[in-house]
Amino acid sequence: MADELRQGPNAGRTLPPERERYADPETGARVTRVTNDSDADSRHLYFTEPGWYDGGRKLLVRSDRDGTQQLYSIALESGEITQLTDLPAAISGVTRVATQPTALFWCDTRLVALDLESLEATSLYERPDGYAGSIAAGTADGERAVVALSAELGIEGRDEDREQWIADRMDAGPHSMVLSVPLEGGEPTVHVEADRWLNHVNASPTWPELVTYCEEGTWEDVDRIRVLNLETDETWSVRPTDEDEAVGHEYWLADGETIGYHGWRGSRDDPAAFFGHVRYDDTDRREWPAPDIYTHFHSNSRELVVGDGTYRGAPFDLLWEWDDTGGYRTPRKLASHGWSGDDDVHPHSRLSPDGNSVVFDSSRARDGDGSDVYLVDVPADLDELPRFDGVAE
């Protein structure tokens, strides 16, 4: 049964705006730095997660300005910041149910649902000892939270050599499950169970029975993207990888039927990078060239795509515009985020639901010490932005 969690006294407190606006020096686009606390690390939700709510008027961000990472909301018109959680442990893995004012996250070992209006926090599920939990996903009907759990195994080296750690964990084949929990309270249902590393659950924003999850590991060695039907427990691979291919960073487009991703062919040292879209049943696959492999992509529809760019010559957000001929125009530079590599803060750029802005994280004003959240306006005419013709060597 679901149990209410007691919020601390700071839940609901408001803080003055911290925003500052400037024109990007290279593109002229209007950028708003919406968090600006030098003692805090602030980030928007992971790029797969819908952080805008209240009709697009508010944005969810995570920040440790209260001593531990908690959830905050930024009113985009006024810039006012509201603390939404004051819980006894740091929160992680935040998402929002696409059709409801509800956030889902982990607080220590508890999966929690937060009513974004009343700020009532409810514990839905306690994960078992020795297991790690993925970012949760809320089904489109607002009835269930879906997560992946995997045995931790105690494999060391994550901070020293992340790629090797991922490979070692993949090879170890940790016991994993994909399960769902009713938001109104009740027992969990296990839909998938395997001795493979399962992770990254994303819910279709329109089809309540459909979620994606991934077979985690080095992208070259797994058919990563998988779809699960929660009603039938049927599961299948989408965009399987051929030899010398890698695909990942999957997300749902707004139609709830199309899955976006990116990847590369060849080697990591000399990649032929691409991004693509495919229907959930592995039909209607389309792919287009990308500047480099170290990036994330997001789109609400095929009409406009944002990519993080790359620290290897393109440390700014790029926009691709559909040209009605089955492809995209040369990408345009939107704004600099200054990403300097995997040890720096990843931008995790995402388009707003209306496509009028892009949110990203950056340490560009912090000398690499901490992160702030930025919003950049997308001009009505992308021809106002400079073209990006290739990655500098």
Side-chain angles (χ1 to χ4, degrees), residues 187-367:
E187 294 299 313
T189 300
V190 176
H191 301 276
V192 180
E193 189 168 10
D195 289 326
R196 294 175 287 119
W197 184 9
L198 307 182
N199 200 6
H200 284 291
V201 180
N202 298 317
S204 164
T206 60
W207 288 50
E209 69 271 29
L210 293 182
V211 300
T212 60
Y213 66 98
C214 81
E215 183 172 341
E216 190 68 272
T218 49
W219 291 5
E220 302 95 322
D221 300 314
V222 294
D223 287 334
R224 175 183 166 99
I225 306 172
R226 302 193 64 85
V227 174
L228 166 65
N229 185 314
L230 296 170
E231 292 183 353
T232 65
D233 290 344
E234 181 184 7
T235 181
W236 61 92
S237 175
V238 174
R239 191 20 180 118
T241 51
D242 293 332
E243 188 176 355
D244 296 324
E245 281 190 332
V247 169
H249 283 158
E250 63 280 357
Y251 64 93
W252 288 97
L253 275 66
D255 64 8
E257 299 184 3
T258 307
I259 299 167
Y261 56 89
H262 78 97
W264 67 89
R265 299 178 180 90
S267 69
R268 288 175 180 259
D269 296 329
D270 186 25
F274 60 88
F275 67 96
H277 297 148
V278 63
R279 197 169 184 268
Y280 72 90
D281 58 1
D282 202 28
T283 62
D284 194 22
R285 182 199 305 177
R286 307 187 196 186
E287 294 174 349
W288 304 273
D292 203 354
I293 63 175
Y294 295 96
T295 190
H296 303 79
F297 284 82
H298 179 259
S299 47
N300 296 315
S301 68
R302 282 201 173 112
E303 277 62 45
L304 186 65
V305 176
V306 64
D308 281 345
T310 167
Y311 62 84
R312 302 196 299 191
F316 32 70
D317 286 318
L318 299 174
L319 291 176
W320 281 262
E321 188 175 31
W322 187 254
D323 66 4
D324 293 327
T325 65
Y328 288 92
R329 301 171 61 195
T330 300
R332 301 279 174 165
K333 301 176 185 179
L334 178 61
S336 172
H337 48 60
W339 180 33
S340 61
D342 284 350
D343 291 333
D344 191 12
V345 174
H346 283 229
H348 290 144
S349 306
R350 182 181 172 109
L351 281 158
S352 62
D354 59 13
N356 290 333
S357 63
V358 169
V359 64
F360 63 88
D361 296 328
S362 177
S363 59
R364 66 190 305 275
R366 305 279 293 273
D367 295 325

Side-chain angles (χ1 to χ4, degrees), residues 93-97 102-106 111-114 124 136-138 145 183:
V94 184
T95 189
R96 185 182 63 78
V97 180
T102 303
L104 301 169
F105 50 81
W106 291 101
L111 180 63
V112 177
L114 177 74
L124 301 173
L183 292 184

Side-chain angles (χ1 to χ4, degrees), residues 148-167:
L149 302 178
S150 61
E152 292 183 304
L153 300 180
I155 295 174
E156 299 179 353
R158 178 172 184 168
D159 295 331
E160 291 76 25
D161 187 341
R162 181 170 172 78
E163 284 299 321
Q164 186 60 52
W165 177 82
I166 289 173

